[in-house]
Amino acid sequence: MKIDHIVQSQQFTVPMIWNLFERTKEMEKIVRRGGTKDYERFIMASLFYAPSTRTRFSFESAMYRLGGKVISTEQARIFSSEIQGERLEDTIRIIGNYCDLIVLRHHEEGGAIRASSVSRVPIINAGDGSGGQHPTQALLDLYTIYNELGTLEGLKVALIGALDKGRTARSLAYLLSKFERTKLYFIAPPEVQIKEDILEHLEEKNVHYELLDSADKIISEVDVVYQTRIDAERLIDKKIDLGIYNITKDFLKKMKKNSIIMHPLPRSVEISRDVDSDPRAAYFRQAENGLFVRMALITMVLDFE
Ligand code: CP
C-alpha cells in the first residue's frame, strides 16, 4: 500500500489504518532486534520551521532504525534560504533533488499541502501552523488507543484544551470519526472551542459530539481523556479559571478504572506530575509509539519491491 504524501488525517481510510497498524507491530519487533538495513539506500530530509522534540527525534530515529540516512537543518526559518526570502515551494523543489522523502513542520497552516503540490518526493506533514493538522501524531494517538483499550469502536473520547488551534486534537477527531459509535466531547473555554470545520465533518458522518466548558458531566463515563494545553494569554476573558481543565489526582478518582489519559506533549501544568504513576497515564507510552508508527509510515511512502 503506497502513499504519495501524508498531509492530513482525512486521507486515511480504515483499511489503510489497519495496514499501518500491522506494519507498526512489525516495526516494534524490528526495533527490539536492533533495527534493519532494508532502507539503507534512502535519504530522509527533516525540515522543521518550528520547534519540536518528539516529532523530529522520533522521525529521525525511525529512519535510522530502518537503515536509512537523515539530512536536516535546525530551525529552518533561520538556517535555510527562507531568511533570504525563498518561498517554501522553491525550497521543497531543491531539497527534493537530494533526498527520497521530506518530513516538514511548517509554521503556516496549509504548508504541507503547498509543499506536496510541487514535490517530486513524498512529503510528510509533521505539523502545520497552529490550527492546521498533525496527522502522524493523530495516527500514533489512534494506535495508542487501540493498543491500550483493544478496540476503536464505541469509544467515548473527551478532548480538552484550546481546541480551535489544537492541530493534534483536530487531526484525531477526523480519524475517530471513521469508527462506529464514536462519541466525542470537546471540552474548552467557549472562546477557544473546536472550530466549525470539524463539527461540520462530524455532522456529515453522523458522529455524536457535545461541546462542553467543563469535564464534570462526562468524566466518569469516558474511555479516553485527550488532554492538551490552554495558553492563558490566548483568552480574552481573564476571569476563566483554567485550573478546572487540569488533570489532578482528584480528576483521576472520578475516571473509569479502564480508561486512559493521553497528551501529545509537551505538557505544562495541565497534567500534574503525581498523575504520571497511575497506570491510566498513557502519555509516555503514547510518545514511545511515535517511533514505531513513524517507521511504519516511512515504509508506506517509500514502499518498494
Ligand atoms: N507532540 C508533538 O508534536 O511534540 P513535538 O512538538 O515535541 O514534536
Side-chain angles (χ1 to χ4, degrees):
M1 189 174 281
K2 168 92 171 78
I3 304 178
D4 293 337
H5 304 283
I6 298 172
V7 291
Q8 52 187 13
S9 54
Q10 302 92 301
Q11 75 184 79
F12 281 82
T13 61
V14 172
M16 284 164 80
I17 290 168
W18 291 127
N19 182 284
L20 171 69
F21 287 5
E22 271 170 38
R23 286 176 189 242
T24 301
K25 282 279 163 221
E26 223 20 67
M27 296 304 143
E28 289 189 34
K29 288 185 207 152
I30 287 173
V31 170
R32 277 200 291 276
R33 292 201 301 266
T36 175
K37 294 207 181 311
D38 284 353
Y39 288 78
E40 65 183 346
R41 70 173 191 265
F42 293 103
I43 297 175
M44 181 184 92
S46 85
L47 184 61
F48 279 63
Y49 287 81
S52 167
T53 300
R54 279 141 290 271
T55 313
R56 180 168 170 213
F57 278 94
S58 62
F59 261 118
E60 294 188 1
S61 172
M63 193 57 180
Y64 285 122
R65 290 283 188 216
L66 289 167
K69 298 164 190 71
V70 177
I71 52 175
S72 71
T73 175
E74 271 181 46
Q75 299 192 50
R77 286 188 84 172
I78 305 168
F79 297 120
S80 79
S81 303
E82 184 179 90
I83 198 99
Q84 291 148 310
E86 184 168 74
R87 283 171 49 79
L88 174 66
E89 284 82 350
D90 286 359
T91 305
I92 293 294
R93 282 190 180 98
I94 302 304
I95 293 178
N97 294 317
Y98 314 141
C99 67
D100 304 288
L101 152 73
I102 299 173
V103 177
L104 172 71
R105 173 166 288 186
H106 199 254
H107 47 289
E108 290 170 9
E109 199 178 317
I113 289 182
R114 278 171 54 204
S116 68
S117 72
V118 297
S119 184
R120 63 194 284 178
V121 299
I123 296 290
I124 298 183
N125 182 1
D128 63 330
S130 59
Q133 283 220 23
H134 197 347
T136 69
Q137 175 71 46
L139 289 162
L140 77 88
D141 295 340
L142 198 69
Y143 181 75
T144 301
I145 294 172
Y146 182 64
N147 236 6
E148 299 275 331
L149 300 179
T151 183
L152 292 174
E153 292 189 355
L155 293 178
K156 295 181 178 180
V157 180
L159 299 108
I160 308 178
L163 301 173
D164 59 339
K165 294 199 183 289
R167 59 191 179 196
T168 62
R170 290 169 52 74
S171 289
L172 183 58
Y174 279 120
L175 289 184
L176 288 167
S177 74
K178 295 175 186 293
F179 294 90
E180 297 291 324
R181 292 174 288 110
T182 298
K183 292 189 175 177
L184 299 179
Y185 304 95
F186 297 106
I187 297 160
E191 58 185 285
V192 291
Q193 206 18 301
I194 195 92
K195 286 197 285 200
E196 204 56 40
D197 59 337
I198 300 287
L199 302 183
E200 279 168 15
H201 175 81
L202 297 178
E203 278 158 29
E204 259 170 45
K205 301 277 175 195
N206 275 323
V207 177
H208 173 100
Y209 72 82
E210 290 179 41
L211 304 182
L212 302 167
D213 59 11
S214 138
D216 289 348
K217 192 179 122 191
I218 47 82
I219 194 169
S220 60
E221 53 184 87
V222 293
D223 303 293
V224 179
V225 172
Y226 190 87
Q227 176 70 307
T228 62
R229 280 190 308 279
I230 304 177
D231 295 324
E233 56 272 22
R234 283 207 49 223
L235 297 178
I236 297 162
D237 183 355
K238 300 293 178 203
K239 292 198 289 297
I240 292 174
D241 172 15
L242 290 182
I244 67 160
Y245 298 99
N246 293 348
I247 297 180
T248 59
K249 283 268 190 193
D250 281 343
F251 190 105
L252 276 181
K253 282 184 203 147
K254 298 176 198 154
M255 285 180 66
K256 290 201 298 191
K257 291 239 172 320
N258 57 348
S259 57
I260 53 169
I261 302 162
M262 298 176 66
H263 193 311
L265 304 175
R267 71 170 154 187
S268 174
V269 295
E270 64 277 7
I271 300 181
S272 14
R273 302 294 181 272
D274 56 7
V275 168
D276 295 356
S277 56
D278 190 285
R280 290 168 291 184
Y283 30 92
F284 293 120
R285 298 191 290 275
Q286 178 186 354
E288 184 184 12
N289 288 335
L291 172 66
F292 312 129
V293 170
R294 286 174 172 135
M295 285 174 75
L297 288 168
I298 291 172
T299 70
M300 288 173 97
V301 296
L302 294 180
D303 208 11
F304 65 95
E305 294 304 315

